[in-house]
């Protein structure tokens, strides 16, 4: 890859992150939001800016203990966790989300953060239940 192309890469990654149809978040080890995209903010019922300086307990207290346990597990094991399901009420509507968790490493190979990618699977689950 040419240097000119590599110089553009951070902008492309940012564009992918912000334009993703899935919720994307980066957590620090204490459950603090380091970065969140618009889709995840929508899932949480608030703005991207509202997450700044907050923890999961500040934004979604009902699921905070479970989220923190998953963050702790990924931090300790450096292994991803696939398709953890979460259910909660948002704006009076029951929603189900499938979330994949993964370690984010620093240049020395230490886990420094935990990323997560969330998909709203509420409608898919409803279709599956109709088939059964």
């Amino acid at each position: 890859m040419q240097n000119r192309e590599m110089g553009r890469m951070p902008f492309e990654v940012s564009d992918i992150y912000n334009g993703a149809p899935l919720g994307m978040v980066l957590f620090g080890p204490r459950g603090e939001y380091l970065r969140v995209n618009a889709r995840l903010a929508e899932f949480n019922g608030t703005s991207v800016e509202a997450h700044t300086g907050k923890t999961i307990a500040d934004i979604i207290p009902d699921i905070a203990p479970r989220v923190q346990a998953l963050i702790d597990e990924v931090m300790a094991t450096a292994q991803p966790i696939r398709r953890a399901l979460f259910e909660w009420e948002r704006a009076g509507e029951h929603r189900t989300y499938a979330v994949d968790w993964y370690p984010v490493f620093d240049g020395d190979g230490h886990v420094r953060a935990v990323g997560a990618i969330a998909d709203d699977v509420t409608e898919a689950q409803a279709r599956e239940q109709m088939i059964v």
Side-chain angles (χ1 to χ4, degrees):
M1 187 179 298
Q2 296 177 348
N3 284 340
R4 186 179 81 239
E5 291 174 286
M6 288 184 69
R8 290 184 43 199
M9 222 171 181
F11 297 108
E12 292 170 4
V13 170
S14 181
D15 292 341
I16 291 167
Y17 194 87
N18 291 324
L22 302 172
M24 298 178 74
V25 60
L26 187 64
F27 286 109
R30 292 175 305 283
E32 69 275 21
Y33 288 96
L34 301 177
R35 184 170 187 172
V36 57
N37 73 351
R39 185 74 171 142
L40 191 94
E42 178 186 324
F43 290 167
N44 291 347
T46 189
S47 69
V48 170
E49 297 76 22
H51 290 78
T52 304
K54 305 286 190 209
T55 66
I56 188 72
D58 297 323
I59 302 294
I60 312 173
D62 295 347
I63 64 168
R66 183 162 175 231
V67 169
Q68 188 61 55
L70 289 166
I71 291 169
D72 293 345
E73 183 176 342
V74 173
M75 292 290 297
T77 66
Q79 296 296 311
I81 298 171
R82 299 275 303 166
R83 201 163 171 79
L85 293 178
F86 288 85
E87 297 182 8
W88 74 87
E89 298 287 323
R90 184 187 59 153
E93 186 178 1
H94 180 82
R95 307 301 299 173
T96 303
Y97 300 91
V99 185
D100 291 331
W101 303 83
Y102 58 93
V104 178
F105 299 94
D106 65 13
D108 296 325
H110 300 104
V111 179
R112 294 295 181 204
V114 173
I117 300 173
D119 190 13
D120 185 338
V121 296
T122 306
E123 284 78 22
Q125 281 194 328
R127 283 191 300 271
E128 287 176 15
Q129 289 175 356
M130 290 177 67
I131 294 172
V132 175

